[in-house]
């Protein structure tokens, strides 16, 4: 019995006009590349990943209090010492009752939050009810888990209000998922945690909670060079999310540390001393 192998041939049918040789150049050859000259390929791969791994920076935070969830973030996009933007929207509206924060790769976070928003809307249409915060965070964690080890860089918080009340979850690019009452994510998070932990109380008003979130972001941007721009604060309550403020951190510095006005005598004394 003879097998018909004509279907495996690399040649292409001749087109009815002109010579086919020029047009078929490159189709019959298989592209190839040289492998690295190393005996430890796994070690080489890890070193290569670290070599091209971008140095990112941001500060995001969220916490639950008696009136709902407060979410805040800065707006600086950077890679190492290069600042590419001061006006990045790091708090993404998933639906009218749910927010997501961005930390890690901007493209990865934006894409997967947009994808999550689509799935949440489809869930709402199919089940005639909004998806819970727990369910949305689980959807995102499952999607990211299926791409673990493939280079995604996502550290996000899913905050919202559902039938059970306020909810807050942390999800990362390895598919990890944590439930909590307060989180901070990003290179400036240690500084934000210092302010947040010292001033956090569950029994706060919306004004007190927004001021705590704003002050935490400001102090993080003051100490962390990869964070900066505008400190945006959102509140998620039973009626959905609402943006409360967006203040330039440079102006917030003089709000928290006002410079006393110098008198004419002081200016003259300083000039004379110089």
């Amino acid at each position: 019995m003879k097998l018909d192998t004509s279907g495996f041939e690399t040649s292409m049918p001749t087109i009815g006009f002109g010579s086919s040789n020029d047009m078929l150049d490159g189709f019959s050859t298989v592209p190839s590349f040289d492998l690295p000259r190393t005996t430890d390929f796994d070690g080489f791969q890890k070193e290569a990943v670290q070599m091209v791994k971008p140095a990112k920076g941001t500060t995001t935070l969220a916490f639950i209090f008696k009136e709902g969830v407060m979410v805040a973030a800065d707006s600086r996009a950077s890679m190492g010492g290069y600042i590419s933007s001061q006006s990045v929207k790091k708090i993404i509206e998933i639906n009218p009752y749910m927010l997501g924060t961005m930390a890690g790769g901007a493209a990865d976070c934006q894409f997967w939050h947009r994808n999550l928003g689509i799935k949440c809307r489809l869930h709402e249409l199919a089940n005639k009810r909004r998806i819970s915060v727990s369910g949305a965070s689980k959807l995102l964690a499952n999607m990211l888990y299926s791409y673990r080890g493939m280079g995604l860089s996502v550290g996000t918080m899913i905050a919202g209000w559902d039938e059970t009340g306020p909810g807050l979850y942390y999800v990362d690019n390895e598919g990890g998922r944590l439930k909590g009452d307060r989180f901070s994510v990003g290179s400036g998070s240690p500084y934000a945690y210092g302010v947040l932990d010292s001033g956090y109380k569950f029994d706060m008003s919306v004004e007190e909670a927004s001021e705590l979130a704003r002050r935490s972001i400001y102090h993080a941007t003051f100490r962390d060079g990869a964070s900066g721009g505008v400190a945006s604060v959102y509140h998620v309550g039973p009626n959905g999310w609402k943006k409360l403020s967006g203040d330039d951190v440079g102006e917030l510095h003089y709000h928290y540390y006002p410079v006393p006005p110098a008198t004419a005598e002081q200016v003259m004394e300083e000039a004379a001393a110089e």
Side-chain angles (χ1 to χ4, degrees):
M1 180 178 178
K2 184 177 179 181
L3 295 175
D4 182 11
T5 60
S6 61
F8 298 104
E9 295 177 0
T10 58
S11 60
M12 295 180 62
T14 305
I15 301 174
F17 55 88
S19 174
S20 63
N21 292 334
D22 295 337
M23 300 182 65
L24 297 179
D25 284 346
F27 282 100
S28 60
T29 58
V30 178
S32 63
F33 57 90
D34 295 332
L35 292 174
R37 301 177 183 274
T38 177
T39 57
D40 181 18
F41 183 75
D42 290 337
F44 172 84
Q45 191 177 27
K46 290 180 180 178
E47 292 178 3
V49 169
Q50 291 299 321
M51 182 180 66
V52 299
K53 188 176 180 179
K56 302 170 289 295
T58 188
T59 304
T60 61
L61 64 87
F63 58 87
I64 293 176
F65 67 112
K66 72 171 184 177
E67 299 289 343
V69 190
M70 197 63 66
V71 186
D74 73 316
S75 65
R76 175 175 291 180
S78 62
M79 189 171 73
Y82 174 68
I83 299 172
S84 59
S85 176
Q86 288 276 67
S87 57
V88 175
K89 191 176 183 180
K90 295 186 182 179
I91 300 177
I92 299 172
E93 297 94 0
I94 298 170
N95 65 32
Y97 292 83
M98 199 179 305
L99 297 172
T101 63
M102 281 174 47
D108 292 341
C109 291
Q110 288 178 349
F111 174 82
W112 288 110
H113 277 108
R114 203 160 53 235
N115 189 276
L116 177 63
I118 294 170
K119 292 186 180 298
C120 290
R121 179 57 177 156
L122 290 174
H123 178 280
E124 185 177 345
L125 292 171
N127 297 280
K128 305 298 186 293
R129 57 189 293 186
R130 290 199 318 271
I131 191 171
S132 65
V133 182
S134 175
S137 64
K138 190 63 176 177
L139 272 178
L140 181 60
N142 288 343
M143 289 188 291
L144 294 176
Y145 181 79
S146 64
Y147 287 91
R148 69 193 186 283
M150 297 187 185
L152 291 180
S153 178
V154 177
T156 182
M157 291 175 287
I158 304 298
W161 188 286
D162 55 27
E163 295 173 350
T164 63
L168 177 60
Y169 290 83
Y170 166 76
V171 181
D172 65 19
N173 50 263
E174 295 297 315
R177 175 172 169 267
L178 293 172
K179 181 180 181 179
D181 58 3
R182 59 187 183 271
F183 289 113
S184 183
V185 187
S187 58
S189 61
Y191 310 108
Y193 267 129
V195 179
L196 184 59
D197 288 340
S198 64
Y200 174 78
K201 296 181 298 182
F202 181 79
D203 190 20
M204 286 188 292
S205 65
V206 174
E207 291 75 18
E208 291 173 331
S210 64
E211 175 58 25
L212 176 61
R214 188 182 305 109
R215 193 168 71 249
S216 299
I217 293 295
Y218 157 72
H219 282 286
T221 61
F222 184 74
R223 294 295 181 185
D224 177 37
S227 302
V230 175
S232 299
V233 181
Y234 284 71
H235 172 240
V236 188
N239 297 320
W241 58 261
K242 179 182 179 182
K243 185 173 183 179
L244 301 180
S245 64
D247 301 293
D248 189 284
V249 296
E251 296 176 1
L252 284 178
H253 176 78
Y254 295 103
H255 172 72
Y256 292 122
Y257 301 101
V259 178
T263 62
E265 291 79 6
Q266 289 176 332
V267 174
M268 293 177 64
E269 288 176 0
E270 291 174 0
E274 293 177 357

